[in-house]
Amino acid sequence: MEKPGVHPQPHPPHHRRRRPIRIWLQPFLIGLVVVSAFVSCYVGLMRDPQPHRIPVAVTGPQLANKVQQALGDSIDVRRADSTTEALDALRHRDIVAVLGTGPHGKDLKLDVASANGLSTTTAVTKLVTAYAHGADQHLSVSDIVPLDRYDARGLAGFYVSFGVTLSGFALAQSVVGLSSLLHLRHRFTLMAVFAAASGLVAAAIAGPILGAVPAPYLPLAFVLALLAAAAAFTTKMLATYVGSLGIPLATLLLLTVGNSTSGATVGADLMPSGARTVSALLPPGAAVRAIADLSYFQSSHVLAPLATLILWAAGSAVLLAFRTTEQRPAAPAPPQPQTAPAPHLSADDRSTPHRAATDGTTGRPTFTVPQKSPDAITESSV
């Protein structure tokens, strides 16, 4: 029996409440997707690259017909009227190699631009070497647009763009956590100023300090600043629209697919058709192309990658501003004036109807505290 006046205490639960399985499963699956995509993109693209219609200028109509029949779709033969015209196209990155005959009309001469990337240059050299061997002709190769001495593998532009993309991505992650503390314009200012600073610092290190990227400093800094802005605003925009899946989606889009298809480690002409299409449309690929154009090809085709970077940065910023403005909470209603609690009335007061006095300004009833008589005060003092 229970003791009087003692209330029974609830029994403690035997088991703690279990978390929903989705809380554990979601980050697990996201991690598996990211690692699978990363390994598939980087290792898969480098596993067996195949040349596909690599643009090569060939001087002489007879030689052009023979090369086209022998190499098929691996080479996109572009007939050139003169060697001078073909070499000018090579220096402006309209083609990747020039094939012609030697001084005596017997041997073959191949001019390449290793600044297009070692994978592309190696593929073209192997194809033309195989043709020359089958035609029983000697082949000499010369590099017209060589890589910088401090960038022997041609990967400096790729690593610079990768680092800048990663920095913009990391900043956006931090800004996502500051959404409740910083106003929208302050977040925009933070990302914009960081993008400019990131471009200036990265361009200074890769260019004047290390000498690995021979592009002019200010144009290079501008390209890298656009890349940082595109990465930061895109990541923040995806996190705003998609929620918790936004950061993993930005990881896949920018750091995985974007960098693996940028065309630096594997040339765009050696990638599958889908990867070639994506390569020029994502910020990392556009940045790698712009850096190469500024460094080696007299900025001949820099406008297209610049437009891509600007569209990603500005478009993401506009979408982010629209979504944030749309979700802005309404202003809170003004607080209502509090009314004084009703006085406690005795039985006599409740039985006698009367009207409470007011103070004449607010309309609220006023109450007075009864005063003690002098005799009562004297008695209490004694």
Side-chain angles (χ1 to χ4, degrees):
M1 294 181 62
E2 297 179 357
K3 296 181 180 180
V6 178
H7 300 282
Q9 299 294 328
H11 296 285
H14 295 285
H15 301 284
R16 300 182 65 181
R17 186 178 179 182
R18 293 183 177 180
R19 299 288 184 184
I21 189 64
R22 180 176 60 84
I23 297 180
W24 302 91
L25 191 59
Q26 178 174 318
F28 183 82
L29 292 178
I30 289 175
L32 285 182
V33 169
V34 171
V35 69
S36 300
F38 194 93
V39 174
S40 299
C41 288
Y42 278 93
V43 178
L45 289 176
M46 292 186 295
R47 187 171 67 95
D48 188 25
Q50 295 294 330
H52 177 75
R53 299 189 63 81
I54 300 178
V56 176
V58 180
T59 58
Q62 186 176 2
L63 178 60
N65 291 333
K66 291 180 179 180
V67 171
Q68 186 68 75
Q69 292 176 0
L71 300 181
D73 291 338
S74 299
I75 296 290
D76 179 17
V77 175
R78 301 184 181 182
R79 300 182 181 183
D81 296 332
S82 64
T83 303
T84 304
E85 177 185 351
L87 292 177
D88 185 67
L90 179 62
R91 294 187 179 95
H92 287 83
R93 212 182 191 185
D94 296 322
I95 55 176
V96 299
V98 177
L99 178 61
T101 56
H104 303 289
K106 296 181 179 180
D107 297 334
L108 296 177
K109 186 175 187 301
L110 179 67
D111 297 307
V112 298
S114 59
N116 280 305
L118 293 184
S119 59
T120 302
T121 304
T122 302
V124 170
T125 304
K126 287 183 177 180
L127 288 172
V128 177
T129 300
Y131 168 79
H133 180 74
D136 195 21
Q137 291 179 295
H138 178 265
L139 177 68
S140 60
V141 181
S142 59
D143 192 354
I144 301 299
V145 188
L147 290 166
D148 189 83
R149 57 174 297 197
Y150 294 114
D151 185 23
R153 303 295 299 173
L155 297 177
F158 166 74
Y159 288 121
V160 171
S161 64
F162 188 95
V164 171
T165 304
L166 183 61
S167 68
F169 173 82
L171 175 76
Q173 280 189 299
S174 301
V175 172
V176 169
L178 298 174
S179 297
S180 59
L181 302 177
L182 294 179
H183 192 273
L184 176 63
R185 65 175 180 272
H186 296 152
R187 282 175 275 157
F188 269 51
T189 302
L190 174 60
M191 289 189 287
V193 172
F194 174 83
S198 178
L200 292 171
V201 171
I205 294 174
I209 296 177
L210 298 180
V213 179
Y217 174 69
L218 288 181
L220 176 62
F222 180 65
V223 169
L224 295 178
L226 286 178
L227 175 61
F233 281 103
T234 300
T235 303
K236 182 64 173 68
M237 182 268 294
L238 291 175
T240 301
Y241 275 82
V242 187
S244 59
L245 295 178
I247 299 299
L249 185 58
T251 304
L252 292 174
L253 184 66
L254 299 173
L255 301 181
T256 303
V257 178
N259 281 306
S260 63
T261 61
S262 61
T265 55
V266 178
D269 297 310
L270 306 180
M271 293 188 292
S273 58
R276 289 198 304 271
T277 302
V278 170
S279 177
L281 298 179
L282 293 180
V288 169
R289 284 167 170 77
I291 293 172
D293 281 329
L294 291 172
S295 300
Y296 300 106
F297 299 102
Q298 306 171 32
S299 305
S300 300
H301 300 281
V302 76
L303 293 181
L306 280 180
T308 300
L309 293 172
I310 292 173
L311 285 176
W312 274 96
S316 299
V318 170
L319 291 174
L320 179 59
F322 174 78
R323 180 72 173 210
T324 307
T325 304
E326 186 183 51
Q327 293 182 342
R328 183 176 297 171
Q336 298 294 331
Q338 297 181 354
T339 58
H344 179 72
L345 302 178
S346 62
D348 294 339
D349 294 333
R350 288 195 298 268
S351 62
T352 304
H354 63 280
R355 180 177 297 176
T358 62
D359 60 1
T361 58
T362 62
R364 300 178 183 175
T366 57
F367 305 97
T368 58
V369 179
Q371 301 292 332
K372 294 183 180 182
S373 63
D375 296 337
I377 296 175
T378 305
E379 289 174 0
S380 62
S381 300
V382 175

